[in-house]
Amino acid sequence: MPTLDFSNENTIQYSLKCVNNSKSSWCFYIYQRMSNQSDNDIYSLVWMASPYKIGLQSFIIFTWSLNDSFWWFNTGNLQEEVIPKSGGTVSASLTSNNSTTFNIENNTPQLSIPVSGTPPDEFLMKGGNNIPNFTFSTGIGMSNFSTYIKQANANTAQEFDSNTTFWVAAATSQKEVTETLGQTKISNTAMFSFPLNKYSLTAYFEEDNLWTIT
């Protein structure tokens, strides 16, 4: 059974089974969005993606857990379709370790050890003194992969909303994890959510290139 399992042990596991009921092969991927991210120059990233096209009457299962993290990337000038050249991460927690600083010390880009910050319902990041302009981006992730980034600037604070929505999409060409998505014009996509006490869903990509999610 083709499964991409990025969940952590001892936590609740969520899964989305993507089934291809259309007339051709597709690459499936999932990403997240938050409200007002376009106004705040926050970009969604390809969070998880099938490593190959999914053929007719075939499927792939994405599995994850709700473990949060902070990320930095070398993106250059952040824009659509950018794929980071390098990066790093540290664990985060909304309830206790929701704030970090990204800086360059001894020619080493790195994130500080996260601490508690205010407000407690957002992930907070700050650029240090030594960050060059239009070189790095910072953001947050879930289940060991990044989900959002924003251009990092020296002595500049960033806030990432903890309320997120999940989206599934189909593409005719391969999508790479951490690829920057456009703020609009994402084709063949649909939002999905998990009802209370339900942790697995099935998404059918139908002949009309629309999704049915159950």
Side-chain angles (χ1 to χ4, degrees):
M1 179 180 295
T3 302
L4 296 181
D5 189 347
F6 303 111
S7 61
N8 292 347
E9 295 182 359
N10 303 318
T11 59
I12 295 175
Q13 295 182 338
Y14 293 80
S15 67
L16 181 71
K17 180 179 180 180
C18 297
V19 182
N20 187 1
N21 286 342
S22 71
K23 297 180 179 180
S24 59
S25 300
W26 293 83
C27 291
F28 295 147
Y29 65 98
I30 54 178
Y31 63 98
Q32 298 184 29
R33 286 193 63 84
M34 65 178 65
S35 60
N36 299 322
Q37 70 177 57
S38 299
D39 296 336
N40 293 303
D41 297 319
I42 295 172
Y43 286 82
S44 295
L45 304 179
V46 175
W47 181 31
M48 302 178 187
S50 62
Y52 39 73
K53 286 188 176 182
I54 306 303
L56 307 184
Q57 303 305 312
S58 299
F59 68 92
I60 190 166
I61 300 173
F62 298 101
T63 303
W64 66 91
S65 51
L66 304 183
N67 302 92
D68 299 312
S69 50
F70 289 113
W71 289 81
W72 70 265
F73 290 109
N74 180 357
T75 59
N77 186 18
L78 183 58
Q79 55 189 313
E80 184 178 348
E81 297 184 348
V82 163
I83 298 175
K85 300 175 183 177
S86 62
T89 183
V90 295
S91 297
S93 170
L94 193 64
T95 57
S96 59
N97 300 312
N98 67 321
S99 179
T100 186
T101 297
F102 173 69
N103 207 2
I104 301 176
E105 301 289 349
N106 298 319
N107 197 32
T108 306
Q110 57 190 345
L111 295 162
S112 66
I113 297 174
V115 296
S116 296
T118 303
D121 59 343
E122 294 183 344
F123 292 102
L124 311 172
M125 306 188 75
K126 184 178 179 180
N129 297 326
N130 301 327
I131 300 174
N133 291 329
F134 305 109
T135 303
F136 295 95
S137 297
T138 49
I140 58 173
M142 180 182 291
S143 201
N144 304 316
F145 285 95
S146 52
T147 52
Y148 303 99
I149 55 175
K150 181 176 181 175
Q151 192 88 66
N153 295 304
N155 302 310
T156 302
Q158 297 178 349
E159 297 181 359
F160 295 89
D161 196 334
S162 59
N163 293 320
T164 189
T165 53
F166 296 95
W167 296 75
V168 61
T172 55
S173 58
Q174 187 68 48
K175 286 291 185 180
E176 186 168 340
V177 172
T178 72
E179 178 182 338
T180 306
L181 296 171
Q183 299 287 18
T184 58
K185 299 179 182 178
I186 298 177
S187 302
N188 307 314
T189 187
M191 186 175 70
F192 63 93
S193 60
F194 293 88
L196 184 64
N197 297 324
K198 185 173 182 178
Y199 306 106
S200 61
L201 296 171
T202 300
Y204 300 92
F205 195 58
E206 308 289 9
E207 290 187 1
D208 56 3
N209 293 347
L210 295 176
W211 291 94
T212 300
I213 302 175
T214 60

